Amino acid sequence: MNPAPTYYLTTPIYYVNDVPHIGHMYTTLACDVLARFKRLDGFQVKFLTGTDEHGQKVQKAALAAGLAPHEFTDRVSANFRGLTQAMGFSNDDFIRTTEARHIHSCRALWQRLVERNEIYLGTYAGWYAVRDEAFYAESELVKAADGSRLAPTGAAVEWVEEPSYFFRLSAWGDRLLAYYADNPDFILPESRRNEVISFVRSGLQDLSISRTTFDWGIPVPDDERHVMYVWLDALTNYITALGFPDVESEDFKRFWPADLHMVGKDILRFHAVYWPAFLMAAGIAPPKRVFAHGWWTNEGQKISKSVGNVIDPHALVDRYGLDAVRYFMLREVPFGSDGDFSHRAMIGRINGDLANDFGNLAQRVLSMIAKNCGGAVPQPGPRTAEDQALLSAAAELLPQLRAAIDRQAFHVALTALWRVIADANVYVDRQAPWALRKSDPPRMRTVLYCLAEVIRHLSILAQPFMPASAARLLAQLSVAEDRRTFAFLVPEHALQPDTALPAPVGIFPRYVEPADGADA
């Protein structure tokens, strides 16, 4: 028997100088959908998330909170772990960069780079943005209205001069460009790939990878006056979780190189330039893909703490429901582009796509079966061309969804699902089973059977996106929990006539504004 194919995907590890917000939820949600899809498709999945807990920015945040850094990071990391639990994310591991396993892994990677003459001691003098934990060249800076210099992200920069260890990044430009050329899907979407190639072609400078002006970090082996640059530390988490430096460990051999690092577009450079260079320099294969998604605005406005329009994921779910939020965030905008959260758009998706389209389809079909077929899966008769066309459309969904999911085109996958939902609703109206009940009961039973079987397909395929709602629908079709994987989307596992069904209950309620009409 062939072993199950493997799939390793990661979120970025989230920086613990703040509370979780919609951006953190969005990245992890995309990975959760992908992980669930692959598991249902027979893959052995490892899905990693966690928190990035070192660096000057964290040390400053801890000081501002009146806490020692380790107390501060314990508290804030727990908030991120709580988010994964509240949102029902299915991650297999949650890593913290303050864990002993990670410190051991980072020091081992550093040692490998030293042994390969990829690190040398020098002096850093240049611009550094604490907020970004990033170094910037003079040419990258922009001028503020008051004439001061800012990072291209708008972060304040400060001039830093200190002893530093450097990674020989300048030697890796041509090899990175060759890797991008040989692996055209390494960076997606395409627009982000072009940005990275342009940056590398402009010339790479050696990278400062240690600091001496603060001490909240992993000490450099054999020179503990230095702590490792937070990005070298953070990126290493992806191999720490597989048992590095034990490259013979079962997990490392099985899952590395990673299939996907999911990141926000603001940290693409670290993942698509620095990380593959570190790995190749250490004799380790780079990941297969880095996907950089867009940012969210709130009712057309940039999200900002100073404006006070930060979106709390917990409040969002409390108001609209978890599956509705999951659906909206991956359907509303093409994944990879920027998106805008608006109350009106959210209600449109809940009441239109979920309640009117999918919910109404399931409710009226299951209600007609309960009322006219003795509450059991009806016995079908001969199929017409229209019956077969609808069943075929449902059967053809899985390869379409696989292709979309493998390119992280979640919106394309959901559009394909809703196309068949629309087809099914048209079919109901054309066949009019409520009229057939009197004129041709056997035909009515065939129509309702075809519709129930299509709903089974749709519900199985909707599980990665809306797990709780899909599970309730499958329960209403009496589909056993061990028969809900994609392997059961074949005719021999179709619904069995005369299977008793429970009384139908609505799955996707309409959203009704609170009495005060308050907006989000």
Side-chain angles (χ1 to χ4, degrees):
M1 185 176 177
N2 292 329
T6 60
Y7 200 89
Y8 179 36
L9 75 163
T10 71
T11 72
I13 49 173
Y14 300 120
Y15 215 47
V16 294
N17 67 321
D18 208 348
V19 294
H21 56 67
I22 190 173
H24 303 119
M25 179 190 182
Y26 187 50
T27 315
T28 315
L29 168 60
C31 287
D32 183 62
V33 168
L34 187 44
R36 288 175 183 272
F37 188 96
K38 289 294 183 181
R39 291 189 195 105
L40 288 166
D41 208 15
F43 284 71
Q44 184 178 2
V45 172
K46 189 169 181 71
F47 167 20
L48 177 70
T49 189
T51 46
D52 178 6
E53 303 182 19
H54 289 129
Q56 190 173 3
K57 187 163 58 171
V58 171
Q59 192 164 17
K60 284 189 170 184
L63 184 64
L67 296 169
H70 66 89
E71 293 175 308
F72 177 79
T73 53
D74 283 349
R75 179 178 298 180
V76 184
S77 180
N79 293 336
F80 283 90
R81 193 184 293 269
L83 179 71
T84 69
Q85 293 164 348
M87 302 299 152
F89 294 144
S90 61
N91 51 292
D92 301 289
D93 195 357
F94 186 98
I95 192 165
R96 299 180 58 188
T97 56
T98 47
E99 292 177 47
R101 61 171 171 163
H102 182 66
I103 293 168
H104 176 58
S105 176
C106 287
R107 290 169 68 89
L109 180 63
W110 183 284
Q111 208 64 50
R112 269 192 178 226
L113 293 171
V114 168
E115 289 165 3
R116 290 166 176 257
N117 195 30
E118 297 288 351
I119 291 177
Y120 64 91
L121 182 61
T123 301
Y124 178 76
W127 296 102
Y128 187 74
V130 174
R131 191 188 79 186
D132 300 344
E133 296 285 14
F135 303 98
Y136 292 104
E138 182 79 36
S139 60
E140 294 182 277
L141 302 184
V142 295
K143 275 196 174 180
D146 62 3
S148 63
R149 292 176 173 87
L150 295 175
T153 60
V157 293
E158 58 187 41
W159 184 260
V160 174
E161 292 189 31
E162 59 181 318
S164 178
Y165 284 94
F166 286 82
F167 171 70
R168 298 183 192 277
L169 184 63
S170 61
W172 286 91
D174 289 345
R175 284 173 281 190
L176 285 169
L177 291 170
Y179 186 73
Y180 304 152
D182 293 342
N183 300 275
D185 290 339
F186 171 62
I187 302 165
L188 287 179
E190 183 75 17
S191 59
R192 303 292 170 217
R193 179 175 183 270
N194 295 336
E195 287 173 15
V196 170
I197 289 173
S198 176
F199 173 74
V200 175
R201 279 183 179 155
S202 70
L204 298 176
Q205 304 296 314
D206 287 352
L207 181 67
S208 171
I209 55 169
S210 75
R211 303 293 306 276
T212 59
T213 51
F214 63 94
D215 59 6
W216 182 241
I218 297 176
V220 166
D222 302 320
D223 193 349
E224 298 201 352
R225 297 168 299 171
H226 294 251
V227 294
M228 292 184 197
Y229 174 43
V230 67
W231 274 105
L232 176 59
D233 166 356
L235 292 162
T236 304
N237 93 89
Y238 303 130
I239 53 177
T240 297
L242 300 181
F244 186 83
D246 181 5
V247 296
E248 295 303 315
S249 70
E250 190 174 334
D251 271 2
F252 195 90
K253 288 195 293 185
R254 182 181 297 153
F255 290 109
W256 193 260
D259 292 274
L260 176 69
H261 292 322
M262 185 74 78
V263 301
K265 64 182 182 179
D266 54 322
I267 56 172
L268 176 59
R269 181 185 301 180
F270 304 102
H271 285 81
V273 180
Y274 300 169
W275 181 226
F278 292 155
L279 289 168
M280 290 191 283
I284 301 169
K288 297 175 187 176
R289 175 171 302 162
V290 177
F291 192 105
H293 65 70
W295 290 341
W296 284 85
T297 51
N298 186 356
E299 304 286 351
Q301 274 194 313
K302 183 178 178 181
I303 293 175
S304 161
K305 279 194 292 185
S306 59
V307 175
N309 65 346
V310 174
I311 300 174
D312 175 5
H314 299 281
L316 206 60
V317 168
D318 287 346
R319 181 167 193 179
Y320 302 111
L322 179 54
D323 277 1
V325 171
R326 289 174 66 102
Y327 173 77
F328 173 84
M329 294 187 75
L330 293 179
R331 177 70 192 273
E332 184 66 9
V333 294
F335 194 73
S337 302
D338 291 341
D340 182 53
F341 177 85
S342 78
H343 178 65
R344 177 176 295 179
M346 183 81 191
I347 302 315
R349 293 292 182 188
I350 292 174
N351 291 346
D353 299 6
L354 297 180
N356 290 354
D357 296 346
F358 199 4
N360 189 46
L361 171 68
Q363 181 68 10
R364 61 178 175 165
V365 168
L366 293 172
S367 294
M368 282 188 278
I369 290 174
K371 185 176 180 181
N372 303 308
C373 303
V377 175
Q379 185 73 242
R383 291 176 184 164
T384 67
E386 279 192 278
D387 301 341
Q388 195 54 53
L390 181 63
L391 289 166
S392 295
E396 290 161 7
L397 275 172
L398 179 56
Q400 294 175 50
L401 265 61
R402 279 181 179 141
I405 292 293
D406 280 344
R407 290 190 67 80
Q408 290 74 62
F410 302 102
H411 59 293
V412 172
L414 286 167
T415 299
L417 272 177
W418 253 254
R419 195 177 300 121
V420 175
I421 290 170
D423 290 347
N425 277 312
V426 169
Y427 173 88
V428 175
D429 293 337
R430 282 184 179 164
Q431 300 299 321
W434 50 89
L436 291 170
R437 180 172 64 88
K438 292 182 180 178
S439 64
D440 191 347
R443 177 64 190 154
M444 175 202 70
R445 288 191 287 273
T446 301
V447 166
L448 291 176
Y449 178 87
C450 291
L451 285 163
E453 177 60 13
V454 167
I455 292 168
R456 182 183 78 92
H457 269 72
L458 292 167
S459 302
I460 286 174
L461 290 167
Q463 288 176 103
F465 300 94
M466 298 177 289
S469 302
R472 289 198 295 272
L473 262 177
L474 289 165
Q476 291 195 39
L477 290 167
S478 292
V479 177
E481 289 188 19
D482 62 353
R483 299 175 65 86
R484 297 180 183 181
T485 67
F486 297 163
F488 288 89
L489 292 172
V490 288
E492 53 264 40
H493 293 298
L495 292 170
Q496 289 300 302
D498 301 324
T499 301
L501 302 181
V505 179
I507 299 297
F508 297 111
R510 293 182 61 79
Y511 181 87
V512 179
E513 291 282 4
D516 62 5
D519 259 10

